[in-house]
Amino acid sequence: MTERQYCSDLSLAAGEPLAGTAARVDVWLLLEYKPVWRSKAVTDNDLPAEVTAWLDRQMASVTDRGLLPRLQFIRQPELDREQIAFFAGTSESLYRAEIDGYGAITDLDIATDLGSPSMPRVEASQYFVCTNGQRDLCCARFGLPAYARLRELVGERAWQTTHVGGHRFAPNVLTLPQGVLYGRVRPENVPGFVEDVEAGRLARDHVRGRSALPAEAQAAEIALDGQMLELVGCEAGQVVIRTEKGERRIRVVEADAMEIIASCGDEATECVRPISAMLEQS
């Protein structure tokens, strides 16, 4: 019998870079959903019709403002509590509502309620680990141990979440309000990873990208010699970022093409072109 190959192991062995691989998302909507997650959980589930319609309206309101939304399901299986959590995360802030049953969520409106008593701001970092093994085996195989280790260190600020994209980079962890997607955060990496995030730093060894940025700027931020304050420009292979040390110019190019297995179970390879970023000398 042929030994099973996992896409995450194959990507790591091939040396596929993480930089610039985060899906573009301006507003994250994360709803606690406790039943079993199916492969495409956010569209294939047993939520009441009125809740699905409410979620659709919230997504549409974000899109109407020219922003890119993404819906995630989240859960903490080891906790038994009656209320349901709902988060909305922007590029700078995170907000949380506690709801007494799904029916009550339709009273919320993220366009007006963010920061209100019904949906106050969350200051402490929250960690969302992709664990949806129904979507890809790597997400459960690698995500669940990473989640368990995070629970040991940050407690109830760690959550399981559905597919965030990039199974082959599992364990994938989204941090909010940092707004950064990380990959290959294995249990032995978790203590150093948490130390960086809690200190307000990028955990550079694991950064896939800040989701509110285009791919080129995601990669460029990792190459910085300081902290990004503002994206000034991003075009023609050059990214300009303002830092506490002044403006920095980063040259961004496509690296050599790689043939990768994008997901467990795939037989055919997929051609990807990783992004390479280099800080230009001032």
Side-chain angles (χ1 to χ4, degrees), residues 82-100:
E82 294 184 1
Q83 287 189 310
I84 295 165
F86 175 73
F87 291 91
T90 68
S91 59
E92 299 176 347
S93 305
L94 180 65
Y95 304 88
R96 175 174 179 165
E98 291 290 335
I99 306 152
D100 294 321

Side-chain angles (χ1 to χ4, degrees), residues 235-254:
E235 59 182 335
Q238 189 174 79
V239 178
V240 182
I241 295 174
R242 184 171 63 86
T243 75
E244 74 278 8
K245 300 179 181 180
E247 285 192 358
R248 293 291 186 266
R249 295 181 180 275
I250 302 96
R251 184 165 57 88
V252 180
V253 298
E254 284 189 343

Side-chain angles (χ1 to χ4, degrees), residues 178 182 192-193 195-203:
Q178 195 181 37
Y182 293 94
F193 168 72
E195 182 179 352
D196 282 337
V197 174
E198 296 292 301
R201 300 186 298 262
L202 286 180

